[in-house]
Amino acid sequence: MIKIKSTREIEAMRRASRIVAEVLRQLEQMIRPGVTTAALDKKAEQIIRKAGAEPAFLGYHNYPASICTSINEEVVHGIPGLRRLKEGDIISIDVGVRLKGYYGDAAATFAVGGISPAAARLIDVTRRSLEEAIKAMQVGSRLSDLSHAVQSYVEANKFSVVRNFVGHGIGAEMHEDPQLPNFGDPGRGPVLQQGIVLAIEPMVNAGGWEVEVLTDRWTVITKDRGLSAHFEHTVALGAAGPEILTLL
Ligand code: MF3
Ligand code: CO
């Protein structure tokens, strides 16, 4: 069941989401060769708690950290630790916050120093595929129009979309209905109405779409060990169209 949000609920989600955006902004400034992913996690938790909020991922199905840090062939759900970033890496950082009972969720992929043109293009195409999905999020459009927008943009650029993980409704829970795949035919699924809030999150692989999970039971990697990127925004559908909540 899709829970349509009131103006008041969307305002609560805007506040949670702004903290998410602030965390991503500050972590981006820390990214350089030699920094550990644990240091990024610690900083994120500090910012979130100082804002009077809670890290949404910490303890979620026993997840052990406040953020996910996924490097190079890691797709999503990489666990922060003592690994140090090195020049040429790409790192996806995913952040979730709960404030006064409402959630915000966003992710972005960043370059560590100078990266290959191929890696830069992957990041660019993934970011733009999210923008395409957001543009497709209009009152009266169908949910799978967003899925199709991501897939067609990504595949036109010769990359592939991950099939095993999806975007999602978000609100008083981090994961609500509906599930939002990043692939599919247009014109299917529920008709979007004002007050729906979605976490839209394309995961894009440079090679094939297939993934596997490491023995830590969290970290998802590409089967072919090619690079992967991930962007996510929490987006509310208002009268005037989509509003990205996870912005400053
Ligand atoms: N942004 C991810 C999602 O929407 C974050 C979940 S990571 C977890 O599913 F650690 F919390 F599981
Ligand atoms: Co999400």
Side-chain angles (χ1 to χ4, degrees), residues 105 168 175 199 201 232:
D105 186 5
H168 50 94
H175 295 131
E201 48 179 320
E232 176 177 24

PDB file of all heavy atoms in Angstrom, residues 105 168 175 199 201 232, ligand 2:
ATOM      1  N   ASP A 105      16.918   9.742   2.517  1.00  0.00           N
ATOM      2  CA  ASP A 105      17.855   8.724   2.031  1.00  0.00           C
ATOM      3  C   ASP A 105      18.457   9.236   0.720  1.00  0.00           C
ATOM      4  O   ASP A 105      17.704   9.621  -0.187  1.00  0.00           O
ATOM      5  CB  ASP A 105      17.048   7.427   1.816  1.00  0.00           C
ATOM      6  CG  ASP A 105      17.861   6.202   1.441  1.00  0.00           C
ATOM      7  OD1 ASP A 105      19.099   6.272   1.412  1.00  0.00           O
ATOM      8  OD2 ASP A 105      17.219   5.149   1.193  1.00  0.00           O
ATOM      9  N   HIS A 168      12.548   2.811  -3.768  1.00  0.00           N
ATOM     10  CA  HIS A 168      11.461   2.483  -2.843  1.00  0.00           C
ATOM     11  C   HIS A 168      10.718   3.720  -2.380  1.00  0.00           C
ATOM     12  O   HIS A 168      11.277   4.820  -2.357  1.00  0.00           O
ATOM     13  CB  HIS A 168      12.043   1.757  -1.618  1.00  0.00           C
ATOM     14  CG  HIS A 168      13.224   2.464  -1.005  1.00  0.00           C
ATOM     15  ND1 HIS A 168      13.101   3.335   0.037  1.00  0.00           N
ATOM     16  CD2 HIS A 168      14.547   2.466  -1.333  1.00  0.00           C
ATOM     17  CE1 HIS A 168      14.302   3.817   0.345  1.00  0.00           C
ATOM     18  NE2 HIS A 168      15.201   3.321  -0.479  1.00  0.00           N
ATOM     19  N   HIS A 175      11.890   1.979   4.144  1.00  0.00           N
ATOM     20  CA  HIS A 175      11.441   1.263   2.945  1.00  0.00           C
ATOM     21  C   HIS A 175       9.932   1.077   3.000  1.00  0.00           C
ATOM     22  O   HIS A 175       9.431   0.336   3.831  1.00  0.00           O
ATOM     23  CB  HIS A 175      12.140  -0.100   2.836  1.00  0.00           C
ATOM     24  CG  HIS A 175      13.606   0.015   2.627  1.00  0.00           C
ATOM     25  ND1 HIS A 175      14.532  -0.689   3.361  1.00  0.00           N
ATOM     26  CD2 HIS A 175      14.322   0.769   1.756  1.00  0.00           C
ATOM     27  CE1 HIS A 175      15.746  -0.370   2.949  1.00  0.00           C
ATOM     28  NE2 HIS A 175      15.655   0.517   1.984  1.00  0.00           N
ATOM     29  N   ALA A 199      12.335   7.172  -2.942  1.00  0.00           N
ATOM     30  CA  ALA A 199      13.803   7.164  -2.979  1.00  0.00           C
ATOM     31  C   ALA A 199      14.172   6.480  -4.296  1.00  0.00           C
ATOM     32  O   ALA A 199      13.975   5.281  -4.455  1.00  0.00           O
ATOM     33  CB  ALA A 199      14.362   6.407  -1.790  1.00  0.00           C
ATOM     34  N   GLU A 201      16.901   5.349  -6.959  1.00  0.00           N
ATOM     35  CA  GLU A 201      18.322   5.051  -6.778  1.00  0.00           C
ATOM     36  C   GLU A 201      18.905   4.113  -7.823  1.00  0.00           C
ATOM     37  O   GLU A 201      19.114   2.927  -7.552  1.00  0.00           O
ATOM     38  CB  GLU A 201      18.610   4.545  -5.365  1.00  0.00           C
ATOM     39  CG  GLU A 201      17.724   3.452  -4.813  1.00  0.00           C
ATOM     40  CD  GLU A 201      18.172   3.045  -3.397  1.00  0.00           C
ATOM     41  OE1 GLU A 201      19.379   2.964  -3.134  1.00  0.00           O
ATOM     42  OE2 GLU A 201      17.294   2.812  -2.557  1.00  0.00           O
ATOM     43  N   GLU A 232      21.301   8.480  -5.545  1.00  0.00           N
ATOM     44  CA  GLU A 232      19.960   8.367  -4.960  1.00  0.00           C
ATOM     45  C   GLU A 232      19.515   9.719  -4.433  1.00  0.00           C
ATOM     46  O   GLU A 232      20.310  10.448  -3.830  1.00  0.00           O
ATOM     47  CB  GLU A 232      19.977   7.359  -3.799  1.00  0.00           C
ATOM     48  CG  GLU A 232      18.649   7.226  -3.046  1.00  0.00           C
ATOM     49  CD  GLU A 232      18.676   6.167  -1.947  1.00  0.00           C
ATOM     50  OE1 GLU A 232      19.783   5.847  -1.447  1.00  0.00           O
ATOM     51  OE2 GLU A 232      17.604   5.668  -1.584  1.00  0.00           O
TER      52      GLU A 232
HETATM   53 CO    CO B   2      17.324   3.896  -0.577  1.00  0.00          CO
END
